[in-house]
Amino acid sequence: MRTNAAMRSLLGSAAFAADQPTVPDLEQDTLDGGWTVEPGGALLLVGHRPGHMPDIPTEALGEGEYEINDVHVSLDDLGRETADFLPRAASRGLYFARRMLAAAHGLPGSETLLAAVAIHVDVDDEDFALQGATIRFFTRRGSYPSWFDELEAYNAREAIAVLNLSDLTT
């Protein structure tokens, strides 16, 4: 797992280690729905697949997956006013990402599947109470969002981790 400094800070807290992650019902539906492999090879979350599936060209598979496989995991039940909120938020986001990566294991294209987990950590931001964990899944096939190649370039407002299948055993 690759992380930026803000995520490393959350991972190192006692609240992160002690948390028993769960996911709200809506996100549980995404977990239960699993993955589908489209005729063009795109690896998509069943619960996020559009009704009219656009054709994703082979040269843009990763980018197309990134746009569709965008999951907002609610943090509303974690109590934003508590000191352990941010580590617990990171724990929930990483738990969800690992569960979805495990569900994709063995599917065509899954060997290059990545999960980018982002947690908004700027508690002074007026929109902080609206934030959830954002998890995006995409493969390194064709064009893909390369901005996750340098995580330290992100400002301290977001804690970011990028996971792949090898992170399931760590």
Side-chain angles (χ1 to χ4, degrees):
M1 174 170 48
R2 294 181 303 113
T3 62
N4 69 351
M7 183 61 83
R8 283 191 297 278
S9 174
L10 296 179
L11 296 176
S13 87
F16 176 83
D19 193 33
Q20 297 297 314
T22 59
V23 293
D25 289 343
L26 184 59
E27 290 81 12
Q28 185 63 49
D29 290 345
T30 300
L31 285 169
D32 294 342
W35 295 91
T36 184
V37 180
E38 292 297 310
L43 190 55
L44 302 179
L45 295 168
V46 170
H48 291 256
R49 185 183 180 280
H52 172 69
M53 183 60 205
D55 181 37
I56 301 174
T58 304
E59 64 274 5
L61 278 175
E63 187 177 350
E65 292 162 337
Y66 178 84
E67 292 302 322
I68 294 170
N69 296 328
D70 180 7
V71 181
H72 173 88
V73 175
S74 176
L75 305 173
D76 291 344
D77 62 314
L78 297 184
R80 285 177 185 7
E81 64 284 345
T82 62
D84 65 351
F85 170 74
L86 288 172
R88 292 181 68 217
S91 180
R92 178 173 286 175
L94 292 169
Y95 172 76
F96 182 89
R98 284 186 173 112
R99 290 270 314 267
M100 291 310 307
L101 286 169
H105 182 68
L107 294 174
S110 66
E111 63 279 356
T112 65
L113 184 63
L114 300 175
V117 178
I119 308 293
H120 189 74
V121 296
D122 184 358
V123 296
D124 295 325
D125 186 316
E126 63 185 43
D127 292 330
F128 180 73
L130 304 174
Q131 303 299 320
T134 301
I135 300 100
R136 290 188 176 231
F137 299 91
F138 58 96
T139 58
R140 288 196 180 264
R141 299 181 294 169
S143 62
Y144 56 87
S146 59
W147 52 83
F148 293 112
D149 291 345
E150 183 52 51
L151 296 179
E152 293 305 332
Y154 284 86
N155 63 37
R157 291 180 162 186
E158 280 189 294
I160 299 178
V162 178
L163 298 83
N164 62 36
L165 288 176
S166 69
D167 294 313
L168 298 179
T169 58
T170 60

